[in-house]
Amino acid sequence: MIRVKQGDLDKLAVLYERYSRILFGFFFKVTLNSQASEDLVQTVFFKIIKYRERYRAEEGSFVTWMFRIAHNANIDHYHSLERSRNEVRIDETDVRSDEDTDDDFLKKERSRRIKEALGLLTGEQREVLILSRYQGLKYEEIAEILRCRVGTVKARVFRAMEKLRRVYRQLEER
Amino acid sequence: MRKQKDPKRLAEYESLLRAVDEMDVPEPSAEMGRKFQALLEEAKKARFQEDRATVRRPSPFFNLRFGLLPRLAAILSLVIVGWFLGYQVTPRPERARIDFLASEVREMKKTVMLAMLENSSAAERMKAVQGAQDLTGLDESVLDALTRTVNNDPNVGVRLMAVNALAHYAASPKVREALIRSIVRQKSPLVQLALADVMLALNEKRAVEPIRRIIASPLVDYSVKGKLEAAVRELL
């Protein structure tokens, strides 16, 4: 990133290669929509280029800085959804095919249910939960990304976990 | 946080988080990569143009669009054009009014000067003669007043100043005539010598006769007589 900051934009391709899938996975689990996730990855890299001069290696890791941009992109995304009064659209991709074994089917069913349960959480709850499972980010780093205190991060993660457990159980009992 | 200590619940959390980790995430489309490449190319192009602009940018002083010099030149041109237009646009009656006011001031100065020549104080009369010299374009009444002063003023100093004042207008035949006529009227040797000097400077041969009449006078001072004779010789 330091090379990118110095103007060597070709090095951005290296960063893209390394982090685009990670970002896409993060956005997908938060938005549950692949098209929106692709757009958000694009937004993050656009902002990395635009604000490259503001990156300070001494203030934190590149990953923390990148996820802070991702967090802001997420907020903008949800605001635009609110403005257009659209709800989170969950991709319906987990359909059983003829070749699937029972194990495969159960796995797909579990994936579909967890996705549905995540969809019932708020965007903020999904985001903090996914961040806590990503890139080995520590609570201190998540607090830096979300611009809040570590205690707040822990409380949010706990509340999100509780809600996920509750709605997942409800979906299982349905 | 008590709930976190419940092993069953903790296991439930673990299971859910594993499910979140293992959740199927689709592959991003090839379009995402293409869009990034386009974004990168655009950024590189913008940076290239930025670099080129930085290299080519001349000193801001000479920059044709935003430089200080072109701005100063533009301001100066506007001032000149503005002044020229203002001068042209000023209505003629306005200019006539200004000319009228100037002549009024001149008249006032002349009146004051003429009044001062009648003043009992020699110093005031000297100031009046000095003021007459400062007036531009002397008219008849001022020249007559100065001539009267040369011939009649009781103070030698005032008369000498008046001779010098009139000498400035000796190009006028009337003034020259008046100065020649004044020679025989002078009793003061200083004024006589001053007039003789003016005549020499003007090379006025008509002054020879009046000067000879002074030389012939029994009352003339011996040293003045010698200088006047020298003046006559030079004039002849």
Side-chain angles (χ1 to χ4, degrees):
Chain A
M1 183 58 208
I2 291 173
R3 297 286 296 275
V4 173
K5 186 183 172 181
Q6 287 165 347
D8 187 357
L9 290 177
D10 284 325
K11 288 287 179 285
L12 196 71
V14 178
L15 290 175
Y16 181 82
E17 200 61 38
R18 197 175 295 168
Y19 294 108
S20 62
R21 276 166 189 274
I22 292 167
L23 275 173
F24 178 81
F26 163 73
F27 282 127
F28 183 79
K29 287 179 181 178
V30 174
T31 65
L32 305 169
N33 184 290
S34 56
Q35 186 53 55
S37 303
E38 287 189 8
D39 291 346
L40 284 164
V41 170
Q42 191 76 359
T43 303
V44 169
F45 277 94
F46 172 74
K47 288 190 174 178
I48 287 174
I49 293 171
K50 191 174 176 185
Y51 301 119
R52 61 184 186 274
E53 308 274 341
R54 295 188 195 172
Y55 172 67
R56 301 271 180 278
E58 61 279 11
E59 287 176 11
S61 71
F62 168 70
V63 173
T64 309
W65 188 68
M66 181 183 75
F67 270 108
R68 196 156 67 229
I69 293 173
H71 164 67
N72 290 332
N74 241 335
I75 291 173
D76 292 345
H77 172 69
Y78 278 102
H79 284 170
S80 68
L81 278 181
E82 278 170 18
R83 274 198 298 275
S84 58
R85 295 187 180 179
N86 284 339
E87 289 183 1
V88 176
R89 283 183 303 173
I90 301 172
D91 287 353
E92 296 295 341
T93 52
D94 304 316
V95 180
R96 182 174 189 175
S97 71
D98 293 340
E99 293 88 43
D100 284 349
T101 62
D102 285 351
D103 267 2
D104 288 339
F105 173 68
L106 283 173
K107 213 173 163 183
K108 275 191 175 178
E109 184 58 19
R110 188 175 161 80
S111 180
R112 188 194 62 76
R113 196 172 291 146
I114 198 75
K115 201 188 284 182
E116 201 176 341
L118 279 172
L120 293 169
L121 266 59
T122 64
E124 189 188 76
Q125 286 170 332
R126 276 198 299 277
E127 187 183 40
V128 77
L129 199 63
I130 305 304
L131 277 174
S132 71
R133 305 297 296 174
Y134 253 80
Q135 292 286 306
L137 288 173
K138 295 171 186 160
Y139 280 135
E140 287 78 9
E141 288 170 313
I142 297 171
E144 177 67 25
I145 291 165
L146 301 179
R147 298 273 192 219
C148 64
R149 289 188 297 186
V150 176
T152 309
V153 174
K154 286 179 181 172
R156 282 182 192 173
V157 170
F158 176 71
R159 277 201 293 274
M161 270 313 306
E162 252 312 289
K163 188 172 177 184
L164 184 68
R165 187 188 67 82
R166 215 169 47 245
V167 294
Y168 187 82
R169 188 177 278 184
Q170 284 169 358
L171 289 171
E172 270 187 331
E173 287 166 1
R174 201 168 56 181
Chain B
M1 297 299 255
R2 270 187 293 117
K3 288 175 183 174
Q4 277 186 319
K5 290 175 184 173
D6 180 348
K8 197 177 160 195
R9 184 153 295 182
L10 279 176
E12 212 172 343
Y13 286 165
E14 275 301 311
S15 164
L16 281 170
L17 288 173
R18 211 168 32 248
V20 170
D21 290 345
E22 290 168 358
M23 196 177 107
D24 282 342
V25 174
E27 281 291 308
S29 70
E31 186 61 20
M32 189 173 92
R34 277 197 291 275
K35 280 183 181 171
F36 169 74
Q37 280 304 325
L39 176 74
L40 185 60
E41 287 308 313
E42 198 147 318
K44 279 156 72 174
K45 205 160 73 182
R47 184 171 158 69
F48 174 72
Q49 282 172 348
E50 202 175 284
D51 286 351
R52 206 168 55 168
T54 310
V55 169
R56 285 189 178 178
R57 193 175 296 146
S59 159
F61 188 77
F62 296 103
N63 185 309
L64 276 178
R65 283 185 68 187
F66 308 110
L68 195 58
L69 187 64
R71 282 189 204 178
L72 283 174
I75 289 167
L76 198 64
S77 312
L78 279 175
V79 168
I80 292 168
V81 169
W83 174 82
F84 179 76
L85 287 177
Y87 182 79
Q88 292 297 319
V89 165
T90 304
R92 300 219 173 256
E94 200 65 30
R95 279 195 244 168
R97 190 174 155 75
I98 291 166
D99 291 345
F100 171 75
L101 284 171
S103 83
E104 282 285 288
V105 170
R106 224 179 114 258
E107 279 300 309
M108 205 186 299
K109 275 187 182 176
K110 193 176 83 178
T111 308
V112 170
M113 188 272 290
L114 292 174
M116 280 169 76
L117 279 177
E118 304 300 323
N119 198 291
S120 57
S121 158
E124 287 298 304
R125 295 199 300 280
M126 280 183 186
K127 277 186 199 170
V129 175
Q130 183 65 46
Q133 281 180 282
D134 295 340
L135 284 173
T136 49
L138 285 176
D139 67 5
E140 293 282 315
S141 58
V142 176
L143 291 175
D144 287 347
L146 285 174
T147 307
R148 277 199 306 276
T149 303
V150 170
N151 294 334
N152 307 316
D153 197 282
N155 185 280
V156 175
V158 176
R159 291 206 303 276
L160 280 171
M161 278 189 76
V163 169
N164 286 330
L166 279 176
H168 285 108
Y169 302 96
S172 157
K174 194 182 172 190
V175 171
R176 204 176 271 227
E177 191 69 33
L179 285 170
I180 294 167
R181 278 205 301 268
S182 288
I183 296 171
V184 288
R185 300 179 67 123
Q186 296 302 325
K187 299 286 181 278
S188 160
L190 286 174
V191 180
Q192 288 168 342
L193 286 172
L195 281 167
D197 285 343
V198 171
M199 294 299 121
L200 272 175
L202 297 172
N203 197 27
E204 182 53 77
K205 296 193 184 339
R206 287 180 295 163
V208 172
E209 187 51 39
I211 293 172
R212 275 183 176 159
R213 280 166 63 186
I214 294 171
I215 295 168
S217 166
L219 297 171
V220 71
D221 185 90
Y222 178 76
S223 62
V224 173
K225 193 176 175 181
K227 285 185 182 175
L228 289 176
E229 281 171 345
V232 169
R233 279 197 297 275
E234 273 191 56
L235 282 170
L236 290 172

